[in-house]
Amino acid sequence: MTVHNLYLFDRNGVCLHYSEWHRKKQAGISKEEEFKLMYGMLFSIRSFVSKMSPLDMKDGFLAFQTSRYKLHYYETPTGIKVVMNTDLGVGPIRDVLHHIYSALYVELVVKNPLCPLGQTVQSELFRSRLDSYIRSLPFFSARAG
Amino acid sequence: MLETDTFKLHCFQTLTGIKFVVLADPRQAGIDSLLRKIYEIYSDFALKNPFYSLEMPIRCELFEQNLKLALEVAEKAGTFGPGS
């Protein structure tokens, strides 16, 4: 079981952060294009889900999986989107994504007067804390699975 | 498979590019076998029907009957957690 990568987007589609741990295959396009592709896909899926839902939604889109990986999604009321790709063995991790938002992004970036919002996070502290948090997760294995 | 808090969307694509898409309750079990069963029903009652032309809407009574039956069986067979 492992974590492949993590994206953080703001409400305008700006990619605030991207980290990679185990990624066997690259997308074949530039990182900038990849972020736009990811954000665009999530935007379309959210719109699709709200239209197709047979009942009133509370949380909305949670995750999708293919035969090779699972994409987990968490969105805050302010439009901050946390996206994590893992392998298939991983169950619901909404609380993990929420922790990344509240205990890492809010604490280390939003509350930091030297961190400008609305652009890529430069904070080294955020990067290293996020990395150690992900590596400490029970479903993260250091060996690429 | 796409998961939300109100439904799960399952997709089964055959080797010929036919896509079977099922929207179900998130707790519903047995969707993978249901999708394969629906493929079987499609090939038996639509494709093998001499009056059915490909790419047209399926208006075969036996197809609809057997489909309904398969859906009822799947619904009875399994949910994880309390049924509604």
Side-chain angles (χ1 to χ4, degrees), chain A residues 62-78:
Chain A
L62 297 172
F64 77 72
Q65 67 186 66
T66 74
S67 55
R68 307 286 274 159
Y69 70 95
K70 189 167 179 181
L71 182 144
H72 306 259
Y73 179 78
Y74 174 73
E75 184 179 354
T76 72
T78 52

Side-chain angles (χ1 to χ4, degrees), chain B residues 41-78:
Chain B
I41 294 172
Y42 168 69
S43 64
D44 283 341
F45 297 104
L47 297 182
K48 294 181 187 174
N49 186 333
F51 298 112
Y52 170 68
S53 354
L54 278 170
E55 322 240 313
M56 297 297 290
I58 302 168
R59 303 221 192 285
C60 315
E61 205 181 301
L62 279 179
F63 172 76
E64 274 154 43
Q65 271 176 23
N66 279 272
L67 185 62
K68 193 154 174 252
L69 216 64
L71 289 169
E72 279 166 13
V73 167
E75 263 192 57
K76 283 199 191 88

Side-chain angles (χ1 to χ4, degrees), chain B residues 10-60:
Chain B
H10 303 252
C11 182
F12 173 63
Q13 182 165 344
T14 72
L15 299 159
T16 50
I18 306 291
K19 295 156 191 59
F20 295 90
V21 179
V22 169
L23 271 86
D25 188 284
R27 294 157 305 182
Q28 178 75 41
I31 299 288
D32 286 328
S33 59
L34 172 67
L35 281 166
R36 267 181 281 278
K37 181 84 187 130
I38 295 175
Y39 182 31
E40 204 183 299
I41 294 172
Y42 168 69
S43 64
D44 283 341
F45 297 104
L47 297 182
K48 294 181 187 174
N49 186 333
F51 298 112
Y52 170 68
S53 354
L54 278 170
E55 322 240 313
M56 297 297 290
I58 302 168
R59 303 221 192 285
C60 315

Side-chain angles (χ1 to χ4, degrees), chain A residues 62-114:
Chain A
L62 297 172
F64 77 72
Q65 67 186 66
T66 74
S67 55
R68 307 286 274 159
Y69 70 95
K70 189 167 179 181
L71 182 144
H72 306 259
Y73 179 78
Y74 174 73
E75 184 179 354
T76 72
T78 52
I80 303 293
K81 300 163 181 61
V82 187
V83 184
M84 185 186 282
N85 289 317
T86 69
D87 67 4
L88 294 179
V90 179
I93 51 164
R94 209 168 151 74
D95 48 343
V96 170
L97 301 183
H98 176 73
H99 182 269
I100 292 174
Y101 170 72
S102 60
L104 295 174
Y105 178 70
V106 168
E107 291 299 316
L108 303 175
V109 179
V110 177
K111 292 185 179 178
N112 184 340
L114 299 174

Side-chain angles (χ1 to χ4, degrees), chain A residues 18-36:
Chain A
Y18 172 73
S19 282
E20 212 169 83
W21 288 272
H22 295 123
R23 184 172 183 172
K24 290 196 183 134
K25 181 173 104 45
Q26 295 300 322
I29 51 178
S30 75
K31 275 286 173 269
E32 205 187 306
E33 282 176 11
E34 185 183 311
F35 298 149
K36 279 195 213 160

